[in-house]
Amino acid sequence: MENKKKILKTLFVSTLYLSAFTFGGGYVIVTLMKKKFVDEYHWIEEAEMLDLVAIAQSAPGAIAVNGAIVVGYKLAGLWGALVATVATIIPPFVIISLISVFYAAFRSNVWIAQLLEGMQAGVGAVIASVVWDMGADVVRTKSPLSIGIMIVSFVATCFFHVNVVLVIVVVAVLGVIRALVAGRRKRS
Amino acid sequence: MIYLLLFFSFLQIGLLSFGGGYAAMPLIQDQIVTTHGWLSMAEFTDLITISQMTPGPIAINSATFVGIKIAGVGGALVATLGCILPSCILVTFIARLYLKYRTVATLQGVLISLRPAVVAMIASAGVSILVTAFWGTGAVTLSGINVVMAVIFLIAFVLLRTGKVNPIFVMLLAGVLKLAAYWLGW
């Protein structure tokens, strides 16, 4: 029992720390989790951690939160999942709460408004660059179906304003069929 | 009532954002800007900018930001809870199956198909951010484009493609360039 309490405490502190100081999104945070729990504490085996990361990435939701849940659950069951999740959420919650107070007060300042406006062009460039990389990955698969899905989804959402939920549901169904067909082919 | 609305909006975002990172962005835009009008497109873009510069997932940051704006700290809590609830249930369930049977579910196969669609939707959200940046709320015409913003975008994009400059620095630089242009009266 003492041991479990200790694990929960370490879990809380490490996930809180990782969440507070990790810039660059979920992929970075799961890598750091692996470093902490596999390489440093030896609480999880490397191969198992890879599967846990795969679960975090394939389930819906933020990867950082999903990663905290799988690792927490693996180490200390439901309590572990809960503790890790809460620890992961606290830093962004506090930081954004503070910022939103300042945002409301500062947005009307003409200089801040100019700065933020310029940053809109900057964030647009960041997204354009990310899309470039992700799109190139899809094109590199040379799968006509994947490339087709990408083009049709873009035209549908960008020019015809088709609801994104509809696109996700349709493509997910398509994906299930594709996975089933591929599985059957492998068997026969 | 507003709490319920916030909860279910962010529940949808949490349930349907596959692939992490920017995958939540189109869904957030759909719920927050298009469906409920809780943020304007310019505020939404500010939110994405802030998310880029602070730790934490975009979805959690948005839940906190929008929740506070609409219904105070209680709203932020409710929205964040809605956002992570699908993860808590689904991931725990999948982890339990995994620890029992030791195979990662066919979910990954489905994810391969979803990936291109997610890229496309991020691109669409990016386009609407750029349209807001270049044209504000005005009509999209060649003569109506904000040249300063277009130039800043190009500089930022080229810097990013070199792969040597930190995105946070690029965004700050973009802000400072705009500030300088304003000061110079452009």
Side-chain angles (χ1 to χ4, degrees):
Chain A
M1 198 60 223
E2 191 56 44
N3 193 29
K4 188 168 181 185
K5 243 184 204 164
K6 209 180 140 204
I7 286 181
L8 284 178
K9 205 178 144 199
T10 314
L11 191 63
F12 183 84
V13 174
S14 344
T15 39
L16 188 79
Y17 179 84
L18 285 179
S19 174
F21 295 103
T22 308
F23 293 80
Y27 290 100
V28 183
I29 217 168
V30 286
T31 315
L32 293 173
M33 275 182 176
K34 181 201 160 276
K35 232 177 228 165
K36 192 125 220 145
F37 296 111
V38 178
D39 305 338
E40 197 176 314
Y41 295 141
H42 304 288
W43 282 353
I44 305 174
E45 276 172 43
E46 172 117 30
E48 187 167 294
M49 186 67 195
L50 285 179
D51 284 341
L52 294 181
V53 169
I55 292 172
Q57 288 174 345
S58 13
I63 291 180
V65 175
N66 293 354
I69 297 172
V70 271
V71 169
Y73 185 77
K74 153 77 194 163
L75 290 177
L78 283 176
W79 277 109
L82 191 71
V83 162
T85 309
V86 170
T88 301
I89 289 169
I90 288 174
F93 192 89
V94 172
I95 293 168
I96 297 293
S97 299
L98 291 174
I99 287 178
S100 69
V101 174
F102 290 113
Y103 176 80
F106 285 148
R107 189 62 169 105
S108 52
N109 177 295
V110 81
W111 296 98
I112 299 280
Q114 290 296 321
L115 189 76
L116 278 171
E117 208 186 312
M119 285 167 81
Q120 290 185 352
V123 83
V126 171
I127 293 166
S129 184
V130 166
V131 167
W132 179 306
D133 289 333
M134 293 175 86
D137 283 343
V138 174
V139 172
R140 234 175 273 135
T141 62
K142 293 199 178 122
S143 149
L145 188 58
S146 292
I147 297 170
I149 289 174
M150 185 164 75
I151 294 169
V152 172
S153 308
F154 181 73
V155 172
T157 51
C158 190
F159 299 113
F160 295 100
H161 304 286
V162 174
N163 189 285
V164 287
V165 174
L166 184 69
V167 175
I168 292 173
V169 171
V170 169
V171 176
V173 170
L174 211 68
V176 172
I177 296 170
R178 199 179 175 187
L180 288 178
V181 170
R184 188 163 295 169
R185 236 180 246 158
K186 216 182 255 170
R187 242 173 282 141
S188 68
Chain B
M1 192 52 214
I2 187 68
Y3 288 126
L4 269 181
L5 218 53
L6 275 169
F7 181 79
F8 281 111
S9 284
F10 278 94
L11 189 80
Q12 239 186 75
I13 293 166
L15 185 64
L16 293 169
S17 51
F18 287 90
Y22 292 91
M25 193 173 69
L27 285 157
I28 299 167
Q29 185 195 354
D30 175 56
Q31 281 294 318
I32 304 313
V33 183
T34 312
T35 307
H36 295 293
W38 284 327
L39 296 184
S40 69
M41 196 56 209
E43 287 172 317
F44 170 73
T45 308
D46 285 347
L47 170 62
I48 299 297
T49 310
I50 293 168
S51 288
Q52 286 297 309
M53 312 201 50
T54 55
I58 292 182
I60 305 293
N61 290 348
S62 308
T64 311
F65 190 86
V66 174
I68 285 201
K69 185 176 182 242
I70 302 303
V73 175
L77 280 173
V78 167
T80 305
L81 189 69
C83 190
I84 62 161
L85 195 63
S87 288
C88 291
I89 297 171
L90 286 169
V91 175
T92 313
F93 180 69
I94 299 171
R96 172 167 282 186
L97 284 183
Y98 167 75
L99 293 173
K100 214 169 179 182
Y101 302 108
R102 296 280 149 181
T103 53
V104 182
T106 36
L107 237 158
Q108 267 185 301
V110 180
L111 198 73
I112 292 170
S113 296
L114 268 173
R115 187 82 178 168
V118 169
V119 175
M121 290 186 297
I122 295 169
S124 284
V127 167
S128 31
I129 284 177
L130 283 178
V131 166
T132 314
F134 290 173
W135 286 280
T137 46
V140 178
T141 58
L142 200 60
S143 56
I145 192 167
N146 183 330
V147 179
V148 172
M149 291 289 276
V151 169
I152 292 175
F153 166 78
L154 282 176
I155 293 172
F157 186 73
V158 170
L159 276 179
L160 286 164
R161 293 314 301 172
T162 63
K164 288 176 190 132
V165 195
N166 184 306
I168 294 179
F169 173 78
V170 172
M171 280 186 290
L172 278 174
L173 180 74
V176 171
L177 284 177
K178 180 77 177 76
L179 208 58
Y182 178 74
W183 187 66
L184 289 168
W186 287 349

